[in-house]
Amino acid sequence: MTYQFDFSSLLPYWQQFAEGLWLTLQLSAISTVLGFVGGALCAIARADGPPWLQRVVGAYVEVIRNTPLLVQVFLVYFGIASLGLMVDANLAAVIALVVNVVAYTCEIMRAGIESVHKAQVEAAECLGLNRRQTYWHVVLRPAIERVYPALVSQYVLLMLASSITSQISAEELTAVANRIQSDTFRAFETYIVVGLLYLALSFVVRWAFWGFGMLVFTRRRKLGTAL
Amino acid sequence: MSVVVKLSNVHKSFGPLKVLDGVSFEVARGEVVAVIGQSGSGKSTALRCINALETIQQGSIEVCGHAVHDEKLDKRKLRLDVGIVFQSYNLFPHLTAEQNIMLAPTCVKALGKKAARDIARDCLARVGLSEKADHYPEQLSGGQQQRVAIARSLAMQPKVMLFDEVTSALDPQLTGEVLKVMEDLARGGMTMILVTHEMAFARKVASQVVYMNKGKVWETGPGSMLDAPTTPELRDFVGSGL
Amino acid sequence: MPSFGLVHLEFLAIAAFWTIGLSAVAFIGGGMLGFVIALMRVSPSRLVRGIAITYVQVVQGTPLLILLFLIYFGLAIIGFDQLPAIIAAGIGLTIYSSGFLGEIWRGCIESVPKTQWEAAECLAMTRWQRMTRVILPQALRIATAPTVGFLVQIVKNTSLASVVGFVELAQAGKLINNSIFQPFMVFVTVAVFYFIICFPLSAWSRGLERRLNVGRR
Ligand SMILES: Nc1ncnc2c1ncn2[C@@H]1O[C@H](COP(=O)(O)OP(=O)(O)OP(=O)(O)O)[C@@H](O)[C@H]1O
Ligand SMILES: [Mg+2]
């Protein structure tokens, strides 16, 4: 038996593919931004907060990192529903992704914060900087610069993992694919197309982060070496 | 002459370890004091106490009118008057030499970028590194990094400068360039306390030498004291250094 | 409607064994393939390196979910449409794991100092001897912590095998939920099962890492 590939029957669906891709991009972008901000705050709390807060954040990070995103997505989706609220699948998807990526960002950023030597903080204090200024200029900025590559990898993974939200029928690319393949009976071709779209997107995202990094981290741009 | 730094009967312990055991000395305006002594004798700790990086258990420290031993001390006000340079430079690795120097004036004195840059240029010129303004720390030699660190402190126009073995990590040639900068500072009338192992430099530049041993000020006097030590400990120390 | 009870717990416990089994398949299969990829990545031949890089980038740039669908439907196309679900799931997770493990291990191989290569070369060892006698033993020490860490990723990602009909923990949860509709209770329990499997691995990985760092100091 030889299989006849037929990509042409997918052509009429190009608009749906595009919409799915767009939603995947939106989901990822929102989750990345919120995840970065939330993760940074958690990392600060984890590294320099009061002991009880350190423990709370630590427990949260452990729970998230040791359970699958799929289960987290279900919990958020059904959890909201069981509160008696109307659940928008896309909203539930964003919430689950943010809850997830905050934990990973926190762990990465904490490593960055802890890599800043105590002597650096002391030097800043001796120059008269207050705590907030010291934290921003001498701890956080170099910490972020140092862990930026790890963060980028994490956010690319996040973009790919957003496909999991198709399981609660968020309208992103994978959910679109699931629908199209059941319409066309061209499952293999559909997933090849979608796989290639994800692959392309992952390159674009990596590239965009690289460019952003070059823009923001002057030192990296000039020296080309990691901090 | 007015007294700028005054330590009276300072006691400091780390747990059971007594590091400063009743240290007293005075530094007048424009004076250069060299603190010498064996490793572990408490020299660094004394400097750190002066800048409120460590708290003391007993005694008093007055610096430019600030009661450093007081719990209510405003550390940031103190540090506007005191500059400190460490053995390990501690430059900020993600900032250029110029940005390292500009950071405190913009943050602490709320100066504009332009004014801060002018100060940075001026300070870099004083340490002979005008052409390195845009270099990052890792692009500079140890001696150059240490001079940038000195410039960074100078930019805040401190009334006293503290130096903790600032040349110990450098080879002789680089040591020379840093010592020259410090000598220029001394000649310019800066009040300085420097912990050093460079006996020749201490003899030449210091108006007062403080020899510390076992957490005490063992012997103190003018630079010439090193040529005629009275205590056997200082004699041994100077002898071993030559 | 029946409520969540011992029967369901038992069902989940059995499913947990399937999760562990699938993880083992993925780790062993992915480990073997990943090892080859790692060696290809440090090969002197540009062509071999290029093939390995492309493989890694494709695997790391495609969602596992899509990979699983492709294998599931791909197998059906070539005539294997009656295979047990573990085959498709096993193949998919093996490919996924090999892409990541290969890259992790390449990093470990390359983190062995250059001087070690040179020293081995000066002793007139062949490339194969240098690799097996000098480099790999050192790389292995560095590799244990991140490898155990990745094991956690594998366990969590087996949850996606539910999409090809493999009854592991997540799928068992879905099935139970379909019959009793107590999603919160069910999926919290499922999460607890995963946590019990994953947390010791995470803790072990961290412990290994700490020990390595102490050893290096
Ligand atoms: N933070 C600290 N905690 C505990 N002990 C300390 C601490 N800082 C210094 N010490 C101890 O205090 C003693 C004096 O240290 P200090 O650094 O003041 O010596 P020093 O005279 O500067 O020596 P060196 O010439 O080696 O720099 C040493 O025994 C040191 O181990
Ligand atoms: Mg010292």
Side-chain angles (χ1 to χ4, degrees), chain B residues 155-170:
Chain B
M156 293 300 284
Q157 296 163 318
K159 298 193 179 112
V160 192
M161 289 277 283
L162 312 176
F163 296 87
D164 189 2
E165 296 190 26
V166 291
T167 58
S168 295
L170 304 175

PDB file of all heavy atoms in Angstrom, chain B residues 155-170:
ATOM      1  N   ALA B 155      34.454  59.949  42.828  1.00  0.00           N
ATOM      2  CA  ALA B 155      33.354  60.665  42.184  1.00  0.00           C
ATOM      3  C   ALA B 155      32.327  61.162  43.190  1.00  0.00           C
ATOM      4  O   ALA B 155      31.595  62.109  42.916  1.00  0.00           O
ATOM      5  CB  ALA B 155      32.676  59.760  41.163  1.00  0.00           C
ATOM      6  N   MET B 156      32.289  60.534  44.352  1.00  0.00           N
ATOM      7  CA  MET B 156      31.333  60.976  45.368  1.00  0.00           C
ATOM      8  C   MET B 156      31.938  62.046  46.274  1.00  0.00           C
ATOM      9  O   MET B 156      31.334  62.451  47.259  1.00  0.00           O
ATOM     10  CB  MET B 156      30.863  59.780  46.204  1.00  0.00           C
ATOM     11  CG  MET B 156      30.039  58.776  45.416  1.00  0.00           C
ATOM     12  SD  MET B 156      28.559  59.506  44.726  1.00  0.00           S
ATOM     13  CE  MET B 156      27.547  59.617  46.198  1.00  0.00           C
ATOM     14  N   GLN B 157      33.123  62.495  45.938  1.00  0.00           N
ATOM     15  CA  GLN B 157      33.833  63.531  46.697  1.00  0.00           C
ATOM     16  C   GLN B 157      33.815  63.272  48.200  1.00  0.00           C
ATOM     17  O   GLN B 157      33.327  64.092  48.987  1.00  0.00           O
ATOM     18  CB  GLN B 157      33.231  64.899  46.387  1.00  0.00           C
ATOM     19  CG  GLN B 157      33.441  65.261  44.938  1.00  0.00           C
ATOM     20  CD  GLN B 157      32.525  66.375  44.479  1.00  0.00           C
ATOM     21  OE1 GLN B 157      31.341  66.394  44.812  1.00  0.00           O
ATOM     22  NE2 GLN B 157      33.072  67.297  43.714  1.00  0.00           N
ATOM     23  N   PRO B 158      34.366  62.121  48.602  1.00  0.00           N
ATOM     24  CA  PRO B 158      34.371  61.791  50.026  1.00  0.00           C
ATOM     25  C   PRO B 158      35.370  62.667  50.784  1.00  0.00           C
ATOM     26  O   PRO B 158      36.289  63.227  50.176  1.00  0.00           O
ATOM     27  CB  PRO B 158      34.810  60.331  50.035  1.00  0.00           C
ATOM     28  CG  PRO B 158      35.650  60.184  48.813  1.00  0.00           C
ATOM     29  CD  PRO B 158      35.064  61.101  47.789  1.00  0.00           C
ATOM     30  N   LYS B 159      35.169  62.762  52.105  1.00  0.00           N
ATOM     31  CA  LYS B 159      36.110  63.523  52.929  1.00  0.00           C
ATOM     32  C   LYS B 159      37.249  62.626  53.420  1.00  0.00           C
ATOM     33  O   LYS B 159      38.313  63.106  53.765  1.00  0.00           O
ATOM     34  CB  LYS B 159      35.372  64.126  54.120  1.00  0.00           C
ATOM     35  CG  LYS B 159      34.287  65.100  53.689  1.00  0.00           C
ATOM     36  CD  LYS B 159      33.790  65.919  54.865  1.00  0.00           C
ATOM     37  CE  LYS B 159      32.726  66.909  54.432  1.00  0.00           C
ATOM     38  NZ  LYS B 159      31.394  66.560  54.987  1.00  0.00           N
ATOM     39  N   VAL B 160      36.950  61.310  53.469  1.00  0.00           N
ATOM     40  CA  VAL B 160      37.973  60.342  53.874  1.00  0.00           C
ATOM     41  C   VAL B 160      37.953  59.189  52.891  1.00  0.00           C
ATOM     42  O   VAL B 160      36.894  58.783  52.429  1.00  0.00           O
ATOM     43  CB  VAL B 160      37.665  59.720  55.267  1.00  0.00           C
ATOM     44  CG1 VAL B 160      38.862  58.968  55.791  1.00  0.00           C
ATOM     45  CG2 VAL B 160      37.190  60.757  56.229  1.00  0.00           C
ATOM     46  N   MET B 161      39.134  58.669  52.591  1.00  0.00           N
ATOM     47  CA  MET B 161      39.182  57.473  51.738  1.00  0.00           C
ATOM     48  C   MET B 161      39.835  56.339  52.523  1.00  0.00           C
ATOM     49  O   MET B 161      40.866  56.525  53.162  1.00  0.00           O
ATOM     50  CB  MET B 161      40.014  57.752  50.481  1.00  0.00           C
ATOM     51  CG  MET B 161      39.356  58.682  49.487  1.00  0.00           C
ATOM     52  SD  MET B 161      38.208  57.814  48.409  1.00  0.00           S
ATOM     53  CE  MET B 161      39.346  57.018  47.289  1.00  0.00           C
ATOM     54  N   LEU B 162      39.211  55.166  52.432  1.00  0.00           N
ATOM     55  CA  LEU B 162      39.765  53.979  53.067  1.00  0.00           C
ATOM     56  C   LEU B 162      40.255  53.031  51.969  1.00  0.00           C
ATOM     57  O   LEU B 162      39.569  52.819  50.979  1.00  0.00           O
ATOM     58  CB  LEU B 162      38.701  53.270  53.912  1.00  0.00           C
ATOM     59  CG  LEU B 162      37.876  54.143  54.865  1.00  0.00           C
ATOM     60  CD1 LEU B 162      36.799  53.301  55.554  1.00  0.00           C
ATOM     61  CD2 LEU B 162      38.766  54.817  55.887  1.00  0.00           C
ATOM     62  N   PHE B 163      41.446  52.485  52.152  1.00  0.00           N
ATOM     63  CA  PHE B 163      41.976  51.539  51.158  1.00  0.00           C
ATOM     64  C   PHE B 163      42.356  50.255  51.872  1.00  0.00           C
ATOM     65  O   PHE B 163      43.147  50.277  52.815  1.00  0.00           O
ATOM     66  CB  PHE B 163      43.229  52.115  50.494  1.00  0.00           C
ATOM     67  CG  PHE B 163      42.984  53.369  49.704  1.00  0.00           C
ATOM     68  CD1 PHE B 163      43.015  54.610  50.330  1.00  0.00           C
ATOM     69  CD2 PHE B 163      42.735  53.318  48.342  1.00  0.00           C
ATOM     70  CE1 PHE B 163      42.798  55.771  49.610  1.00  0.00           C
ATOM     71  CE2 PHE B 163      42.519  54.478  47.613  1.00  0.00           C
ATOM     72  CZ  PHE B 163      42.547  55.719  48.245  1.00  0.00           C
ATOM     73  N   ASP B 164      41.816  49.132  51.446  1.00  0.00           N
ATOM     74  CA  ASP B 164      42.143  47.869  52.098  1.00  0.00           C
ATOM     75  C   ASP B 164      42.995  47.002  51.183  1.00  0.00           C
ATOM     76  O   ASP B 164      42.491  46.319  50.307  1.00  0.00           O
ATOM     77  CB  ASP B 164      40.863  47.122  52.493  1.00  0.00           C
ATOM     78  CG  ASP B 164      41.175  45.917  53.373  1.00  0.00           C
ATOM     79  OD1 ASP B 164      42.370  45.717  53.676  1.00  0.00           O
ATOM     80  OD2 ASP B 164      40.240  45.205  53.748  1.00  0.00           O
ATOM     81  N   GLU B 165      44.286  47.054  51.410  1.00  0.00           N
ATOM     82  CA  GLU B 165      45.236  46.251  50.629  1.00  0.00           C
ATOM     83  C   GLU B 165      44.922  46.297  49.144  1.00  0.00           C
ATOM     84  O   GLU B 165      44.778  45.265  48.492  1.00  0.00           O
ATOM     85  CB  GLU B 165      45.219  44.797  51.108  1.00  0.00           C
ATOM     86  CG  GLU B 165      45.688  44.653  52.533  1.00  0.00           C
ATOM     87  CD  GLU B 165      45.898  43.210  52.915  1.00  0.00           C
ATOM     88  OE1 GLU B 165      46.156  42.390  52.012  1.00  0.00           O
ATOM     89  OE2 GLU B 165      45.818  42.891  54.110  1.00  0.00           O
ATOM     90  N   VAL B 166      44.836  47.500  48.615  1.00  0.00           N
ATOM     91  CA  VAL B 166      44.353  47.629  47.248  1.00  0.00           C
ATOM     92  C   VAL B 166      45.343  47.135  46.205  1.00  0.00           C
ATOM     93  O   VAL B 166      44.999  46.978  45.043  1.00  0.00           O
ATOM     94  CB  VAL B 166      43.970  49.094  46.927  1.00  0.00           C
ATOM     95  CG1 VAL B 166      42.737  49.488  47.699  1.00  0.00           C
ATOM     96  CG2 VAL B 166      45.115  50.030  47.212  1.00  0.00           C
ATOM     97  N   THR B 167      46.571  46.870  46.617  1.00  0.00           N
ATOM     98  CA  THR B 167      47.543  46.405  45.615  1.00  0.00           C
ATOM     99  C   THR B 167      47.936  44.946  45.813  1.00  0.00           C
ATOM    100  O   THR B 167      48.763  44.427  45.084  1.00  0.00           O
ATOM    101  CB  THR B 167      48.834  47.260  45.663  1.00  0.00           C
ATOM    102  OG1 THR B 167      49.374  47.187  46.981  1.00  0.00           O
ATOM    103  CG2 THR B 167      48.531  48.703  45.314  1.00  0.00           C
ATOM    104  N   SER B 168      47.327  44.282  46.772  1.00  0.00           N
ATOM    105  CA  SER B 168      47.794  42.930  47.108  1.00  0.00           C
ATOM    106  C   SER B 168      47.592  41.916  45.997  1.00  0.00           C
ATOM    107  O   SER B 168      48.284  40.915  45.928  1.00  0.00           O
ATOM    108  CB  SER B 168      47.083  42.417  48.358  1.00  0.00           C
ATOM    109  OG  SER B 168      47.449  43.214  49.437  1.00  0.00           O
ATOM    110  N   ALA B 169      46.610  42.170  45.120  1.00  0.00           N
ATOM    111  CA  ALA B 169      46.344  41.192  44.072  1.00  0.00           C
ATOM    112  C   ALA B 169      47.096  41.533  42.784  1.00  0.00           C
ATOM    113  O   ALA B 169      46.856  40.927  41.756  1.00  0.00           O
ATOM    114  CB  ALA B 169      44.843  41.112  43.805  1.00  0.00           C
ATOM    115  N   LEU B 170      47.981  42.520  42.862  1.00  0.00           N
ATOM    116  CA  LEU B 170      48.599  43.015  41.623  1.00  0.00           C
ATOM    117  C   LEU B 170      50.084  42.683  41.568  1.00  0.00           C
ATOM    118  O   LEU B 170      50.749  42.588  42.597  1.00  0.00           O
ATOM    119  CB  LEU B 170      48.423  44.535  41.544  1.00  0.00           C
ATOM    120  CG  LEU B 170      46.983  45.035  41.628  1.00  0.00           C
ATOM    121  CD1 LEU B 170      46.966  46.547  41.673  1.00  0.00           C
ATOM    122  CD2 LEU B 170      46.173  44.510  40.461  1.00  0.00           C
TER     123      LEU B 170
END
